[in-house]
Amino acid sequence: MKNLRVFFFALLLLASPLLQVARCQSDSDAEVADTAEEVSDLGIVGEDAQDFGDGNFSPAPGVDTVCVFPKNSARLVLAGEETELLVGMKNDGELPITVIGIRATVHLPIDHKLLVQNLSAQGFNNATVPSSAQATFPYIFGVSKYLQPGSFDLVGTIIYEIDQHPYQSTFYNGTIEVVESGVFLSMESVFLFTLGIALLVLFGLWVNGQIQNLSKKTKRAPKVEVGTGTRDASMDEWLQGTAFTQSQSQKSKKKK
């Protein structure tokens, strides 16, 4: 039973990071939902409609960004299919922000210099975030269907202007899991299935232990020791001279 308790405790420790990740993602979803302010007429355009340029700009002070994968806390991306994420932007500056567009790239996790794929850029027309306001912008992307399943790093940036000066902020720089189309399984489902199997195994071991303990108790019988008729010499000395020793000597004489 002690080993079972240790195993169950270790299982809970292994499961806690996954639960923490799911809870943090839910908190991020709620934060974006609460802080997002509707922006009228975003005017989303394709990647060919606007040129972002190849320059790298610095982030503007007073601008915060957050990224959420809706209903996809495990950040699973199906190869060859579209994936949506939401970019939340908060403007704490004094001037309004004009959002130009969003772009992203996929890199190998071992080295960001190894570029795997340039994802499609998405432009916006008439998208502004006033001072002391917040807004949410959708970004839909798709990795190549020929990309091998595995872990990759996604780097996403949002490009904007303040007083006609270009800036950019990285809203996401982390890992995504690319999987083949048709084998989409959320981490929560895998965890719950594994946890269920582990609990069934623990319950089976506990029931087996109880049955073995019960069978051992039923098989036990009281042991009755039968004397061999031998007596200790010290006992004979203690009984010497009593009626018991005299009767024993008479019996021995008769047998002779």
Side-chain angles (χ1 to χ4, degrees):
M1 292 300 294
K2 184 177 180 181
N3 293 333
L4 293 179
R5 293 175 182 175
V6 173
F7 176 75
F8 185 71
F9 181 71
L11 182 64
L12 291 179
L13 289 179
L14 293 175
S16 58
L18 182 60
L19 295 177
Q20 183 69 20
V21 169
R23 186 176 65 181
C24 291
Q25 182 67 23
S26 300
D27 294 342
S28 299
D29 293 343
E31 180 182 353
V32 171
D34 293 338
T35 60
E37 180 177 291
E38 182 177 356
V39 179
S40 61
D41 193 15
L42 287 177
I44 300 176
V45 297
E47 58 178 328
D48 298 332
Q50 191 166 359
D51 184 14
F52 299 152
D54 296 331
N56 291 323
F57 310 107
S58 60
V63 176
D64 295 325
T65 57
V66 64
C67 174
V68 172
F69 289 76
K71 300 180 181 179
N72 185 11
S73 60
R75 298 179 177 87
L76 298 181
V77 177
L78 275 69
E81 298 190 12
E82 291 184 342
T83 302
E84 181 184 13
L85 59 82
L86 300 177
V87 181
M89 174 175 281
K90 182 179 180 182
N91 183 12
D92 290 332
E94 299 178 355
L95 297 176
I97 296 174
T98 301
V99 179
I100 298 176
I102 297 175
R103 62 187 177 188
T105 53
V106 178
H107 304 260
L108 289 179
I110 57 176
D111 188 358
H112 270 206
K113 294 180 180 179
L114 300 177
L115 178 64
V116 176
Q117 182 181 355
N118 274 316
L119 301 178
S120 59
Q122 184 170 290
F124 300 95
N125 287 334
N126 303 323
T128 59
V129 183
S131 176
S132 301
Q134 301 158 348
T136 302
F137 302 93
Y139 177 59
I140 299 175
F141 67 95
V143 300
S144 173
K145 63 180 179 180
Y146 302 107
L147 189 61
Q148 293 294 327
S151 297
F152 297 89
D153 282 352
L154 175 69
V155 179
T157 57
I158 183 168
I159 300 95
Y160 52 94
E161 288 183 350
I162 300 178
D163 195 20
Q164 296 184 352
H165 293 286
Y167 298 93
Q168 74 178 31
S169 295
T170 301
F171 59 82
Y172 185 75
N173 185 1
T175 303
I176 58 173
E177 190 72 23
V178 177
V179 296
E180 294 181 0
S181 179
V183 293
F184 185 85
L185 273 179
S186 65
M187 293 299 294
E188 289 86 351
S189 301
V190 175
F191 165 71
L192 291 176
F193 177 77
T194 305
L195 181 61
I197 295 297
L199 291 177
L200 288 177
V201 172
L202 289 174
F203 181 74
L205 293 175
W206 179 80
V207 171
N208 186 38
Q210 295 297 321
I211 294 176
Q212 290 181 355
N213 292 336
L214 183 62
S215 61
K216 288 179 181 179
K217 291 180 180 180
T218 55
K219 290 181 179 180
R220 290 176 181 173
K223 296 182 180 180
V224 179
E225 295 184 357
V226 180
T228 58
T230 60
R231 292 195 305 270
D232 194 355
S234 60
M235 182 64 70
D236 292 340
E237 293 179 357
W238 183 75
L239 294 175
Q240 189 175 4
T242 62
F244 177 78
T245 56
Q246 294 177 359
S247 61
Q248 290 296 326
S249 61
Q250 291 177 359
K251 288 181 181 179
S252 61
K253 291 179 180 180
K254 289 181 181 180
K255 289 180 181 180
K256 294 178 180 179

